[in-house]
Amino acid sequence: MRADNETIPEAPAESMAEGAAAEPGLLSGSSHAWRALKHRNFRLFFGGQSISLIGTWMTRIATSWLVYRLTGSALLLGTVSFAGQIPTFLVAPFAGVWVDRLDRRQVLLWTQALSMVQSLALAGLTLSHHITIHWLLGLSVMQGIINAFDMPGRQAFMVQMVEDRRDLSNAIAINSSMVNMARLVGPSLAGMLIAVTSEGWCFLIDGISYIAVIASLLMMRLNIAAVPRKATSTLTELKAGWTYVSTFLPIRTILLLFAAVSLMGMPFVVLMPIFAAQVLHGGPHTLGFLMGAMGVGALISALALAARKSVLGLVRMIPIAAAVFGVGLIGFGLSRWLPLSLLMVLIAGMGMMQGMAGSNTIIQTIVPEDKRGRVMSYYTIAFVGMAPFGSLLAGSVAHAIGAPLTVAMNGGVVLLGAAWFWTKMPAVRREMRPIYRELGIIPAAPEPQQ
């Protein structure tokens, strides 16, 4: 199942009952929670991304508010989100093939540079008062194409920044913490900035912030062993990646659940401006509070994952996290009181992040290195590529029956998905057990007595 025999004592095992124990001698307390930062390349990545992601979240909030300000339409909110995400669904499988073939750092340098151009274009058009819904749609499509290469490239590059593979799961958790710290800070800054100036300044700050991540990538010192690959066509490698993902039960089951979660659960973020303005009778600052609360919940989950000395039980965590996410969505959809809405969004953020980070850790651990880019491209499709259909569906349904009922109904569907995954766990564990034994994560089966 894997191309190498590296032992990863802290990769996820399927249950406590399997008898695996945490590796002795590991750091304890807070230093253990941040152990991946001992790797220079990952520290550089952490520093650059921490700055850039704040700008990214400012742009997301500013874009949603700008669309709603220009149109006042739930349907167009969903349409712009669809335009920004559908390229990822269409292009990501091909991008995954190229991520497996190319220098991943060079891929990320190109995607970050192009993202900078896109944000600065948005800033120029908005600050000069030339922005229209058509420009927003076009630039959203551009960013979607960039993301189709950036997301699988970023995920596949993670393993190259962390020299000690035992620290990979911690690096994923820290990366999630970083994303959600930005989710907490960025929307709050965007809400305040939009309230006193305009959305264009958010786009400008985002464009400038890409300098930090580009500089961090250029400063890295990488020592990457070449992975031998056959000289096959793009379509042949694309088919091989699809065959692996579709026939390997653990990855297939995880991706199916989170494709459903992305389709039905994630689009509630697209409807946030409606909740802020119509349901809770607020403004851009209210939208910033809601997004910030979701970031707090996600950050709590990410920090809890980083602090774990053992990553046992992540498979079981996935359906539990999806159920928590579903409950949070139902509560948020039914709430008409800002404090309760903030609590429900916080709960939804906790469940969303626990599921995303846990599944990412499992997939990154068990995937063969020569298929990592392609597998992470399908991970990108499950988490991002399904969202455009969900955004369009949510916008259409919210236009017909209202945003609150739409979000509550979607939360119910997420709960059903969690129940389905729970029924699949025994088979998933059986498939993963031989891989964990091969990697030394759980003890090898005893030899039969003669």
Side-chain angles (χ1 to χ4, degrees):
M1 293 291 182
R2 283 183 64 95
D4 62 289
N5 285 320
E6 288 183 279
T7 299
I8 310 177
E10 292 223 347
E14 52 267 48
S15 75
M16 293 293 292
E18 307 243 71
E23 185 185 21
L26 286 173
L27 298 174
S28 60
S30 60
S31 60
H32 175 85
W34 303 98
R35 64 190 184 276
L37 291 176
K38 69 185 180 184
H39 303 282
R40 178 181 181 275
N41 291 331
F42 186 72
R43 283 200 308 273
L44 288 168
F45 176 80
F46 181 86
Q49 282 292 111
S50 295
I51 297 170
S52 180
L53 284 171
I54 292 174
T56 298
W57 278 104
M58 292 180 70
T59 283
R60 291 188 183 186
I61 296 300
T63 301
S64 296
W65 192 258
L66 180 58
V67 172
Y68 191 65
R69 179 172 66 81
L70 291 175
T71 68
S73 169
L75 181 60
L76 281 173
L77 273 172
T79 301
V80 170
S81 181
F82 178 87
Q85 294 168 326
I86 189 61
T88 301
F89 178 83
L90 298 173
V91 178
F94 299 94
V97 173
W98 286 101
V99 168
D100 278 334
R101 289 181 171 185
L102 300 175
D103 182 325
R104 292 167 187 170
R105 176 166 59 175
Q106 292 298 322
V107 171
L108 293 180
L109 284 169
W110 275 104
T111 60
Q112 298 308 294
L114 291 172
S115 293
M116 176 191 289
V117 171
Q118 191 265 1
S119 293
L120 293 177
L122 269 175
L125 288 166
T126 305
L127 292 172
S128 65
H129 305 291
H130 288 95
I131 193 68
T132 65
I133 193 66
H134 298 96
W135 274 113
L136 279 168
L137 284 167
L139 288 170
S140 294
V141 169
M142 175 183 173
Q143 189 61 56
I145 296 172
I146 296 168
N147 287 342
F149 288 85
D150 182 75
M151 294 189 68
R154 187 188 309 273
Q155 295 294 336
F157 190 54
M158 186 74 67
V159 73
Q160 296 179 345
M161 289 185 289
V162 180
E163 291 86 354
D164 188 342
R165 295 286 293 276
R166 293 173 297 179
D167 295 335
L168 177 60
S169 62
N170 182 250
I172 292 171
I174 291 175
N175 184 60
S176 299
S177 302
M178 173 177 59
V179 170
N180 288 289
M181 182 62 75
R183 188 199 298 266
L184 174 61
V185 175
S188 301
L189 289 177
M192 292 186 291
L193 200 57
I194 293 169
V196 299
T197 56
S198 79
E199 300 87 354
W201 288 102
C202 295
F203 301 141
L204 180 61
I205 291 172
D206 182 30
I208 295 171
S209 73
Y210 282 104
I211 296 173
V213 70
I214 291 172
S216 73
L217 289 167
L218 291 172
M219 291 169 64
M220 288 182 185
R221 296 195 294 263
L222 299 171
N223 183 19
I224 303 168
V227 177
R229 298 184 179 92
K230 297 179 181 178
T232 54
S233 68
T234 299
L235 290 179
T236 299
E237 293 192 29
L238 185 66
K239 181 180 178 181
W242 169 252
T243 300
Y244 176 80
V245 168
S246 62
T247 58
F248 185 35
L249 180 66
I251 290 180
R252 184 181 72 206
T253 307
I254 291 170
L255 293 186
L256 281 175
L257 171 63
F258 282 97
V261 169
S262 179
L263 179 67
M264 303 304 296
M266 303 298 186
F268 88 103
V269 178
V270 176
L271 301 176
M272 282 285 200
I274 298 174
F275 280 89
Q278 296 182 7
V279 178
L280 300 172
H281 307 293
H285 62 284
T286 307
L287 178 61
F289 289 147
L290 289 171
M291 295 299 294
M294 185 171 68
V296 169
L299 181 61
I300 291 171
S301 283
L303 291 174
L305 286 169
R308 289 170 64 109
K309 294 185 180 181
S310 169
V311 289
L312 300 173
L314 285 182
V315 171
R316 186 172 58 252
M317 180 192 295
I318 289 175
I320 294 173
V324 170
F325 184 35
V327 169
L329 291 180
I330 293 171
F332 179 62
L334 297 177
S335 173
R336 300 296 182 273
W337 184 41
L338 179 59
L340 180 59
S341 295
L342 291 173
L343 176 62
M344 290 297 102
V345 169
L346 184 146
I347 291 172
M350 289 177 64
M352 178 183 67
M353 179 47 55
Q354 284 276 41
M356 289 176 63
S359 62
N360 190 343
T361 302
I362 293 171
I363 292 173
Q364 289 273 38
T365 299
I366 64 179
V367 65
E369 182 60 30
D370 64 335
K371 294 184 178 68
R372 189 175 300 274
R374 281 166 287 175
V375 171
M376 298 318 294
S377 73
Y378 286 108
Y379 172 92
T380 299
I381 289 174
F383 284 96
V384 179
M386 296 303 297
F389 301 102
S391 298
L392 201 60
L393 178 63
S396 301
V397 175
H399 186 72
I401 67 173
L405 184 57
T406 299
V407 170
M409 289 173 55
N410 287 357
V413 175
V414 173
L415 281 176
L416 291 176
W420 169 80
F421 188 95
W422 191 269
T423 66
K424 297 291 184 181
M425 278 203 303
V428 169
R429 287 172 173 169
R430 281 196 303 272
E431 291 274 345
M432 294 175 70
R433 193 171 294 119
I435 300 174
Y436 286 146
R437 286 183 177 139
E438 178 186 348
L439 296 172
I441 297 169
I442 59 176
E447 294 290 338
Q449 294 183 352
Q450 299 296 328

